[in-house]
Amino acid sequence: MDSNVPFSREQLTFRFAALDAQLVRLARRHALEEERWAAIEQLVQLPTSDIAEADRRWWWEQLYSTMERHGLTELSQLASSAH
C-alpha cells in the first residue's frame, strides 16, 4: 500500500474479520499460542502511516478486543483460569 494513503476503516475491518476467522481456525485445531500470536503479528505489522490518525484509537480497541475474545490477553487468561 502507498504509505501516503492510509487504509480505510472498511479495509481495516476486513483485516480484523480475516484475523478473527484465522484465530478461530487455529483454535479449532488446538494450535499453539505462538501460532495465534504469529497470525496477530501479520495484522499488527502495519506502518503507522497506514492507519489514519482519526482511526488509530479505534484500531487499537479492535486489536485488543480481538485478542481478548481469543484468550490472548492477561485479563482473558485470568477469567478462563477462574472457571
Side-chain angles (χ1 to χ4, degrees):
M1 170 154 218
D2 179 9
S3 62
N4 295 324
V5 181
F7 284 104
S8 68
R9 192 174 280 203
E10 181 181 15
Q11 290 170 310
L12 292 169
T13 298
F14 179 80
R15 289 174 69 104
F16 278 110
L19 172 63
D20 198 52
Q22 177 67 14
L23 290 171
V24 167
R25 284 189 296 274
L26 290 169
R28 283 186 184 142
R29 65 178 183 89
H30 306 287
L32 297 174
E33 186 174 337
E34 291 81 13
E35 290 180 77
R36 294 184 289 155
W37 279 110
I40 288 175
E41 287 173 6
Q42 288 177 348
L43 171 77
V44 174
Q45 291 182 2
L46 290 175
T48 302
S49 61
D50 282 356
I51 304 169
E53 190 171 336
D55 289 333
R56 290 181 189 153
R57 180 178 177 162
W58 171 86
W59 185 88
W60 281 110
E61 289 169 349
Q62 299 308 304
L63 177 60
Y64 188 82
S65 177
T66 299
M67 290 168 45
E68 189 169 324
R69 192 169 44 256
H70 292 281
L72 294 168
T73 65
E74 186 175 328
L75 180 60
S76 61
Q77 291 172 359
L78 288 173
S80 66
S81 67
H83 294 289

